[in-house]
């Protein structure tokens, strides 16, 4: 579900079901020509589909952090902290082009970087994304028990 699909009246009712926030990270530098920026956004959209479609009903996708350098990674961490503070149990950062890991965004619950995941296994990308998200939820469930 996109953040823009949630209204104030329905949020309290939906909140128990949507425990995970997805934050897209584009990592643009501003040096991209318009078609390059478009291509980067399309790659990110396609990568995010691997999480948004199978886990619809549990994820709320927030607006993207578009530009990336050291200061923006600090901002990304701050956003992760803030969405947890308003009640999300998990925060997933997804990026198609940036080489990020949880060590870069320690306030996230999970970082999925397509660049880092490609070539790390022969498994289909959709299976990797689904598996990592399921593992994150399972770890939390195990910690509660």
């Amino acid at each position: 579900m996109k953040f823009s699909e949630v209204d104030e009246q329905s949020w309290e009712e939906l909140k128990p079901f949507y425990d995970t926030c997805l934050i897209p990270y584009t990592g643009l530098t501003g040096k991209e020509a318009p078609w390059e920026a478009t291509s980067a956004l399309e790659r990110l959209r396609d990568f995010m589909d691997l999480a948004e479609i199978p886990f619809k009903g549990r994820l709320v996708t927030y607006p993207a952090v578009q530009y990336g350098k050291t200061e923006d990674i600090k901002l990304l961490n701050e956003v992760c902290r803030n969405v947890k503070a308003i009640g999300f149990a998990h925060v997933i950062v997804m990026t198609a082009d940036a080489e990020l890991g949880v060590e870069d965004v320690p306030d996230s619950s999970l970082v999925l970087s397509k660049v880092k995941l490609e070539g790390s296994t022969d498994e289909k990308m959709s299976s990797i994304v689904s598996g990592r998200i399921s593992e994150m939820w399972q770890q939390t469930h195990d910690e509660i028990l």
Side-chain angles (χ1 to χ4, degrees):
M1 171 180 280
K2 304 283 186 206
F3 67 95
S4 58
E5 298 174 62
V6 180
D7 61 36
E8 185 177 355
Q9 290 75 31
S10 63
W11 180 238
E12 285 307 313
E13 183 180 317
L14 295 173
K15 197 174 182 177
F17 305 103
Y18 290 93
D19 67 346
T20 304
C21 178
L22 176 62
I23 301 175
Y25 177 72
T26 312
L28 298 173
T29 65
K31 295 179 182 178
E32 297 83 8
W35 60 89
E36 292 170 320
T38 299
S39 182
L41 290 170
E42 289 170 348
R43 283 189 301 277
L44 181 56
R45 176 205 59 210
D46 294 346
F47 186 50
M48 288 172 42
D49 280 351
L50 301 179
E52 289 179 311
I53 293 170
F55 297 114
K56 185 176 183 174
R58 189 153 180 195
L59 298 175
V60 177
T61 301
Y62 265 50
V65 175
Q66 300 289 9
Y67 294 90
K69 287 291 179 194
T70 305
E71 293 303 313
D72 289 335
I73 300 301
K74 290 178 186 174
L75 172 64
L76 192 55
N77 268 302
E78 183 178 344
V79 171
C80 290
R81 278 191 307 277
N82 290 344
V83 295
K84 282 181 178 178
I86 64 163
F88 285 101
H90 311 283
V91 181
I92 301 170
V93 174
M94 286 189 80
T95 179
D97 297 332
E99 287 195 39
L100 287 181
V102 75
E103 65 278 359
D104 301 304
V105 194
D107 292 307
S108 69
S109 307
L110 177 66
V111 175
L112 295 170
S113 168
K114 185 177 180 191
V115 175
K116 287 182 86 168
L117 294 173
E118 286 177 330
S120 65
T121 179
D122 291 333
E123 201 175 351
K124 275 181 60 177
M125 190 60 67
S126 59
S127 297
I128 296 170
V129 169
S130 292
R132 298 278 173 97
I133 293 171
S134 295
E135 285 173 18
M136 175 194 69
W137 286 329
Q138 186 61 45
Q139 268 185 318
T140 302
H141 180 265
D142 291 347
E143 289 170 5
I144 293 171
L145 298 176

